[in-house]
Amino acid sequence: MARSPRPSLSTDAVVDVALTLVDEGPEGGPAALTLSAVAARAGVATPSLYKHVRGLAELRDLLSARIMNEMADEVGAAVLGRSSDEAVRALMAAWRDYARRHPHRYAALVQRPEPRTAEAGARLVAIMLATLRAYGLEDSAAIHAARCLRAVVHGFAALETGGAFELPEKLDETYDLLVHMVVAGLHTPRAGTA
């Protein structure tokens, strides 16, 4: 006989359990996220989860929204009161710091646009656009620059947390160079736009 869900089980509680599973050591990460593992950790039968999430795909999307909101909170706090180069440096540092502190969460992010992650993703984009405003970027130019900024910080964070950098040069020095290149690029007009 299947156990009924605990009274405290809710969609948020299911996402909390999923985060815990993803965070746990070497056996954690996105691969650890299964409905049966979440149910076992929550102390319920797997079918009981369907009262709170439609399936693993929805749970992954809800988890991604939570992670993006955490990132938006941290990145937003880092850039608050800063502008121009100082804000870009703070944004890039906060993004990398989050990924380094939570490598399994970062790896679990669903990168494709999805309705359940739209609000959290919009918060991150709004922070990037506000950070880039000091460079006089508007409309399409601001979107292109925000995409470039995201590609740079996400790419480095994904490679670093995935253990892809094996050469002996210090990663902090590499990241400082990357930040310098981004800031310098924001001050350099694109060919044909000046």
Side-chain angles (χ1 to χ4, degrees):
M1 177 177 206
R3 294 173 283 186
S4 61
R6 296 182 311 186
S8 62
L9 196 60
S10 64
T11 301
D12 282 342
V14 171
V15 174
D16 290 342
V17 171
L19 275 174
T20 301
L21 286 170
V22 166
D23 282 342
E24 289 179 346
E27 56 280 338
L33 188 59
T34 65
L35 290 178
S36 60
V38 171
R41 182 62 62 92
V44 300
T46 303
S48 296
L49 292 180
Y50 289 101
K51 295 176 181 173
H52 308 288
V53 294
R54 288 188 199 105
L56 187 57
E58 181 180 48
L59 181 55
R60 288 186 191 282
D61 293 338
L62 293 168
L63 184 74
S64 286
R66 173 84 63 88
I67 294 165
M68 281 186 219
N69 274 313
E70 288 177 353
M71 290 177 61
D73 290 345
E74 291 189 21
V75 170
V79 301
L80 191 64
R82 294 181 164 92
S83 66
S84 193
D85 299 352
E86 186 183 1
V88 171
R89 286 186 185 97
L91 183 148
M92 292 180 73
W95 194 301
R96 180 183 181 215
D97 184 54
Y98 182 90
R100 291 171 76 185
R101 283 185 292 109
H102 304 290
H104 296 306
R105 285 184 190 198
Y106 197 77
L109 271 172
V110 174
Q111 295 297 326
R112 73 188 183 308
E114 208 289 325
R116 284 176 285 271
T117 60
E119 185 179 328
R123 286 184 65 212
L124 274 171
V125 169
I127 292 165
M128 285 189 279
L129 292 173
T131 301
L132 296 169
R133 200 171 294 129
Y135 298 94
L137 298 169
E138 297 177 359
D139 305 320
S140 290
I143 297 298
H144 292 307
R147 285 177 177 165
C148 291
L149 182 57
R150 177 184 175 206
V152 166
V153 294
H154 169 68
F156 194 95
L159 290 168
E160 181 177 18
T161 58
F165 296 126
E166 294 183 355
L167 297 176
E169 285 73 16
K170 293 181 176 159
L171 286 178
D172 288 345
E173 291 178 18
T174 304
Y175 202 68
D176 287 345
L177 175 60
L178 183 63
V179 171
H180 170 77
M181 292 169 75
V182 168
V183 168
L186 288 167
H187 287 284
T188 306
R190 280 181 31 202
T193 61

